[in-house]
Amino acid sequence: MSIASGLRGRHLTRRLVQLYVGLTLYGVSSALLVRGALGLEPWGVLHQGLAEKTGLTIGVVSIVVGAVVLLLWVPIRQRPGLGTVSNVFVIGLAMDGTLALVPESDALVVRVPLLALGIVLNGVATGLYIAARFGPGPRDGLMTGLHRLTGRSIRLVRTLLEVAVVATGFLLGGSVGVGTVLYALSIGPLAQFFLRRFAVPEREEDVTTASSGPATAEDAGPAGPPAPAEDAGPATAARPPAVAPGTPEQAILRR
């Protein structure tokens, strides 16, 4: 996928709206996890640790880390999409904007709801931007690229990456806690649930073409999210699978 390759087809306006709403909500959800102060998502731990050491805002750190990770795509021959490049900037800006509006609190009665809302909103955001089909984020693209390059399973590559990221972030001062565990257990099911809700309909012939491209070798495990039910309309206007088989987006959701 090239940056411009997704800018065609039906429902382009809806897909673009989904992409940028999803990325913005992702940044908002990450900021809520920061304010909940009960543990962050794996990459958030690293971002917070680097922010503590550098004095930069966590949003700026997220942008810098995303750009560095994107550079790592070059040797593993991953190609970014519009969503990939947008991911680098939009999430970090949304994080800093939300943190400027939402004050810190020491009260658990405030922090626990912020944690719960942050996790659920992150699932909504993930479903929105992945269903827009503009490419994976830099960090997920690194995972799928290493999976393809090494032949190791998605689960193994994801686990090794996230353990390394969490450990490094923790040593730098990032927040690891019950929220980190809850996020790890719930984000997969939440993302799949919302992905089905936000799947964008397109013509059946377009789905066939998209699904027949080169597939990445997948690890043996549970299948990706099932295709939503077809719209009650002509046979040529079917709703596609939420994520086409063999794409990085499908691999991202395999937990």
Side-chain angles (χ1 to χ4, degrees), residues 35-37 103-108 110-111 114:
R35 287 293 183 247
E104 296 183 45
S105 175
D106 293 326
L108 276 177
V110 175
R111 291 162 57 200
L114 285 176

Side-chain angles (χ1 to χ4, degrees), residues 37-82:
L38 292 168
L40 304 179
E41 75 278 19
W43 285 92
V45 177
L46 177 62
H47 298 156
Q48 188 180 55
L50 288 170
E52 291 285 338
K53 295 299 183 184
T54 62
L56 299 172
T57 67
I58 192 170
V60 170
V61 169
S62 173
I63 292 171
V64 172
V65 170
V68 170
V69 171
L70 192 54
L71 289 176
L72 296 178
W73 281 33
V74 177
I76 61 176
R77 298 184 179 181
Q78 288 279 92
R79 289 190 295 176
L82 176 64

Side-chain angles (χ1 to χ4, degrees), residues 54-242:
T54 62
L56 299 172
T57 67
I58 192 170
V60 170
V61 169
S62 173
I63 292 171
V64 172
V65 170
V68 170
V69 171
L70 192 54
L71 289 176
L72 296 178
W73 281 33
V74 177
I76 61 176
R77 298 184 179 181
Q78 288 279 92
R79 289 190 295 176
L82 176 64
T84 310
V85 177
S86 298
N87 182 295
V88 173
F89 299 99
V90 176
I91 291 177
L93 293 173
M95 279 188 70
D96 278 351
T98 303
L99 289 171
L101 296 173
V102 179
E104 296 183 45
S105 175
D106 293 326
L108 276 177
V109 70
V110 175
R111 291 162 57 200
V112 170
L114 285 176
L115 170 65
L117 180 58
I119 291 174
V120 173
L121 193 59
N122 195 278
V124 173
T126 302
L128 276 167
Y129 93 78
I130 290 180
R133 303 192 307 278
F134 282 110
R139 298 155 186 84
D140 286 320
L142 176 64
M143 175 193 68
T144 56
L146 290 173
H147 154 67
R148 189 192 68 250
L149 188 68
T150 64
R152 302 297 182 180
S153 71
I154 282 287
R155 288 180 179 84
L156 178 61
V157 174
R158 174 182 283 277
T159 299
L160 292 177
L161 273 177
E162 293 191 349
V163 166
V165 163
V166 169
T168 303
F170 178 72
L171 292 174
L172 291 172
S175 175
V176 177
V178 64
T180 309
V181 176
L182 288 175
Y183 181 92
L185 293 174
S186 59
I187 191 59
L190 282 171
Q192 291 200 37
F193 174 83
F194 288 110
L195 182 61
R196 286 191 283 267
R197 297 302 180 273
F198 298 129
V200 181
E202 63 179 343
R203 292 173 303 199
E204 187 175 2
E205 56 268 27
D206 293 339
V207 179
T208 302
T209 302
S211 301
S212 61
T216 324
E218 295 291 348
D219 56 308
E230 294 185 352
D231 293 328
T236 57
R239 183 185 294 272

